[in-house]
């Protein structure tokens, strides 16, 4: 099965940097994905890692260490609109197969304050 | 930017009734998924669909659930006899080839009375 852990809540200041951690235990791992979800809305894709290392996309970066079962999402230059839930999700299955289901963590509710 | 579209946005149904949730995936995507999210809980996988057949399903996806791709654009989720505990937000997602990320629709909020 899958076990995905991430902090329930975090608070940060506008303009600052925040790191949201995620640890996982899984079989058949083939990628880790980060999504943003505002209340009542759909998850929106932010970043993903298949191999170890850092992926940077504008204000958002994600890091993966497969040997440690660990990932983090880094948000820079925080804005009030970044207040949302951030979901860590692990993909299982072959890259070209029909599976690749996502198993989600419970999400980290980030509050950005002035 | 292409997006996944879902209809209706909100469905209210009496317990025991059948419901069909509709999705139009992104046009060049080949892999399709349904997830659900009960209020205040995490997003849960229901089923994946590829090449006109189910490739994987979760324990939630029992005999009361079915999926269909009736034509080249729609992807539907049917619940035959709804229960109170089926009340949730249902998300459709699709993805392209390889390790591409899944893109989610805005969801259908299903309320069972």
């Amino acid at each position: 099965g899958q076990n995905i852990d991430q902090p329930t809540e975090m608070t940060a200041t506008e303009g600052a940097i925040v790191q949201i951690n995620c640890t996982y235990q899984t079989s058949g791992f083939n990628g880790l994905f980060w999504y943003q979800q505002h209340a009542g809305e759909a998850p929106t894709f932010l970043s993903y890692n298949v191999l170890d290392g850092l992926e940077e996309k504008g204000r958002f970066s994600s890091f993966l260490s497969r040997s440690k079962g660990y990932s983090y999402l880094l948000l820079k230059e925080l804005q009030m609109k970044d207040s949302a839930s951030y979901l860590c999700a692990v993909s299982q299955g072959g890259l070209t197969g029909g599976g690749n289901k996502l198993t989600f963590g419970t999400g980290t509710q980030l509050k950005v304050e002035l | 930017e292409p997006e996944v579209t879902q209809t209706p946005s909100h469905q209210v149904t009496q317990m025991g009734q059948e419901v069909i949730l509709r999705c139009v995936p992104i046009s060049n995507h080949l892999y399709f998924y349904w997830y659900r999210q009960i209020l205040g809980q995490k997003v849960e996988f229901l089923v994946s669909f590829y090449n006109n057949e189910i490739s994987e399903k979760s324990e939630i996806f029992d005999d009361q659930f079915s999926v269909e791709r009736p034509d080249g654009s729609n992807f539907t989720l049917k619940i035959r006899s709804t229960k109170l505990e089926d009340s949730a937000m249902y998300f459709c997602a699709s993805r392209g080839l390889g390790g591409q990320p899944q893109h989610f629709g805005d969801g259908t909020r299903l309320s069972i009375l």
Side-chain angles (χ1 to χ4, degrees):
Chain A
Q2 301 260 26
N3 190 33
I4 301 171
D5 289 311
Q6 51 182 132
T8 305
E9 294 178 337
M10 296 183 73
T11 301
T13 306
E14 189 179 36
I17 299 172
V18 71
Q19 177 174 312
I20 302 174
N21 295 324
C22 173
T23 58
Y24 64 90
Q25 294 171 310
T26 184
S27 58
F29 173 92
N30 78 333
L32 190 138
F33 295 76
W34 286 94
Y35 286 82
Q36 180 192 63
Q37 187 178 31
H38 286 98
E41 298 184 10
T44 303
F45 169 72
L46 292 176
S47 185
Y48 80 110
N49 299 72
V50 177
L51 302 175
D52 291 353
L54 188 68
E55 291 287 337
E56 297 187 80
K57 285 183 67 175
R59 293 193 301 118
F60 299 95
S61 304
S62 59
F63 172 84
L64 175 67
S65 169
R66 288 172 294 169
S67 62
K68 296 181 180 177
Y70 168 69
S71 175
Y72 67 72
L73 178 70
L74 197 68
L75 292 79
K76 303 175 188 174
E77 302 169 14
L78 280 174
Q79 302 172 11
M80 297 297 288
K81 67 178 183 179
D82 296 330
S83 294
S85 184
Y86 289 85
L87 314 181
C88 173
V90 173
S91 174
Q92 278 180 295
L95 286 175
T96 57
N100 283 20
K101 69 176 184 182
L102 291 176
T103 300
F104 285 84
T106 52
T108 298
Q109 187 65 44
L110 175 66
K111 183 178 179 182
V112 180
E113 299 178 329
L114 289 171
Chain B
E1 184 175 329
E3 57 182 26
V4 177
T5 57
Q6 290 186 240
T7 54
S9 56
H10 193 186
Q11 175 82 44
V12 182
T13 302
Q14 292 287 332
M15 185 172 60
Q17 296 297 304
E18 175 183 286
V19 66
I20 298 175
L21 310 182
R22 303 182 190 280
C23 170
V24 179
I26 294 172
S27 63
N28 63 347
H29 284 185
L30 299 175
Y31 305 92
F32 314 118
Y33 306 82
W34 284 101
Y35 293 83
R36 79 172 186 189
Q37 186 174 31
I38 295 170
L39 188 63
Q41 297 186 23
K42 62 183 178 180
V43 177
E44 299 175 289
F45 168 76
L46 292 178
V47 66
S48 58
F49 191 88
Y50 168 72
N51 199 25
N52 284 320
E53 61 183 18
I54 290 173
S55 39
E56 189 171 359
K57 59 185 179 180
S58 71
E59 292 177 353
I60 302 168
F61 195 89
D62 61 22
D63 292 346
Q64 294 301 310
F65 290 84
S66 63
V67 289
E68 193 177 35
R69 187 155 165 82
D71 53 43
S73 60
N74 290 283
F75 179 52
T76 62
L77 174 69
K78 181 195 291 186
I79 309 175
R80 265 179 273 280
S81 178
T82 50
K83 304 186 285 280
L84 292 175
E85 54 264 39
D86 293 329
S87 294
M89 183 75 98
Y90 287 79
F91 293 110
C92 174
S94 70
R95 72 173 178 92
L97 290 172
Q100 291 298 306
Q102 295 178 28
H103 294 272
F104 286 73
D106 287 339
T108 293
R109 181 171 299 284
L110 178 63
S111 300
I112 306 301
L113 304 178

